[in-house]
Amino acid sequence: MFGEKGVELVRELKRTNEGQLPAFNEDGVRQVLQEMEALYEHNQSDVNDAKGRQRTDLIPSVRFRHCCLQRNRRCLCAYLYDRLLRIRALRWEYGSVLPANVRFHMSAEEVSAEAGRPLTPCRPLTPGPPLSCAQLQWFARYKKSLAGFMRSLGGGGGLDVTQETKAPKSLYVQVRCVKDHGELELDDGTLVLLKKNSQHFLPRWECERLIRQGVLEHVAP
């Protein structure tokens, strides 16, 4: 039935937990675009017949296919917009460097964009800008824009607005190292060696990002 492939794209995102970014469904998007192209060409043919041969009996079919086209367009827009919101949330949740478990579900082009390396050309779905590449470029531009905004705060000294989005109950937290990470330099210049299974009492703002990246974990008091 017309429109089912577009609806399935939306259902796919709905089945994915909030905060997670599923792999870009290139095959699904391509099938929806191909269906839209076929509907459009069929409508063009019927419209020409209706005008040239006075085939008014074709008008209901043309209207039906046009409704299917509109439905597919809405589903594609909803799918792409939801992915943009999830991509934006990843920047606030994990920072400019995403953890390995998130990069594992990303394509090679996405990993390159996340790491700040030049984007490699993506294979287009149809003639025109590749949709997945457009999302990756949007992600890179968003990171750059957010970084520029944070540098402009605090009288030019910069302020990381992605830290402490919720008011903390305490300024210091007990943490345990999940894996070897090396030295961490605190704001006061103190160096802390983060070795696996070592425990530290650190300022929350210093280790919040490492907790999100899976390097540290909270230790219950």
Side-chain angles (χ1 to χ4, degrees):
M1 182 178 177
F2 294 135
E4 282 300 315
K5 294 181 177 64
V7 173
E8 183 56 33
L9 287 176
V10 178
R11 289 174 179 161
E12 177 184 303
L13 285 178
K14 188 174 179 61
R15 290 192 294 265
T16 306
N17 294 332
E18 186 176 353
Q20 294 182 354
L21 181 68
F24 185 78
N25 191 342
E26 183 175 329
D27 288 338
V29 171
R30 179 186 293 108
Q31 289 173 13
V32 174
L33 292 175
Q34 289 174 346
E35 180 180 290
M36 293 176 70
E37 183 178 4
L39 287 169
Y40 178 80
E41 290 177 352
H42 201 165
N43 261 8
Q44 282 291 95
S45 176
D46 281 359
V47 166
N48 291 334
D49 284 346
K51 288 181 177 179
R53 303 178 183 178
Q54 302 299 318
R55 292 282 307 278
T56 57
D57 57 301
L58 296 176
I59 294 178
S61 298
V62 171
R63 289 178 175 172
F64 170 74
R65 285 189 291 268
H66 181 73
C67 288
C68 294
L69 278 168
Q70 294 288 86
R71 184 183 186 185
N72 276 340
R73 187 187 68 171
R74 289 194 298 269
C75 288
L76 277 179
C77 287
Y79 177 76
L80 297 174
Y81 180 68
D82 188 271
R83 285 185 60 85
L84 288 184
L85 295 181
R86 291 170 187 254
I87 290 172
R88 184 179 66 180
L90 287 177
R91 172 61 183 88
W92 283 77
E93 179 68 19
Y94 296 109
S96 58
V97 179
L98 300 179
N101 64 322
V102 174
R103 293 199 304 269
F104 178 77
H105 296 287
M106 300 172 72
S107 67
E109 291 84 1
E110 287 173 311
V111 174
S112 296
E114 182 271 326
R117 297 191 295 272
L119 290 172
T120 55
C122 296
R123 175 165 43 89
L125 300 171
T126 58
L131 299 180
S132 56
C133 279
Q135 290 183 333
L136 306 180
Q137 292 162 2
W138 182 90
F139 183 35
R141 288 196 300 268
Y142 180 76
K143 289 200 303 181
K144 183 178 180 181
S145 177
L146 181 60
F149 170 71
M150 293 192 293
R151 284 195 299 269
S152 69
L153 299 176
L159 177 65
D160 189 351
V161 297
T162 65
Q163 293 278 16
E164 303 294 354
T165 54
K166 296 181 181 179
K169 295 182 179 179
S170 61
L171 297 179
Y172 285 77
V173 62
Q174 188 77 21
V175 294
R176 178 189 294 114
C177 237
V178 178
K179 55 187 176 182
D180 292 335
H181 185 70
E183 291 185 337
L184 171 67
E185 184 176 358
L186 305 182
D187 285 346
D188 60 2
T190 303
L191 294 177
V192 179
L193 182 59
L194 301 179
K195 294 185 65 176
K196 185 176 181 179
N197 295 327
S198 61
Q199 294 193 26
H200 309 274
F201 191 61
L202 300 173
R204 182 182 293 270
W205 63 90
E206 297 279 8
C207 57
E208 186 89 2
R209 186 63 48 75
L210 294 176
I211 292 174
R212 294 175 180 173
Q213 293 177 358
V215 176
L216 302 175
E217 64 179 2
H218 283 289
V219 176

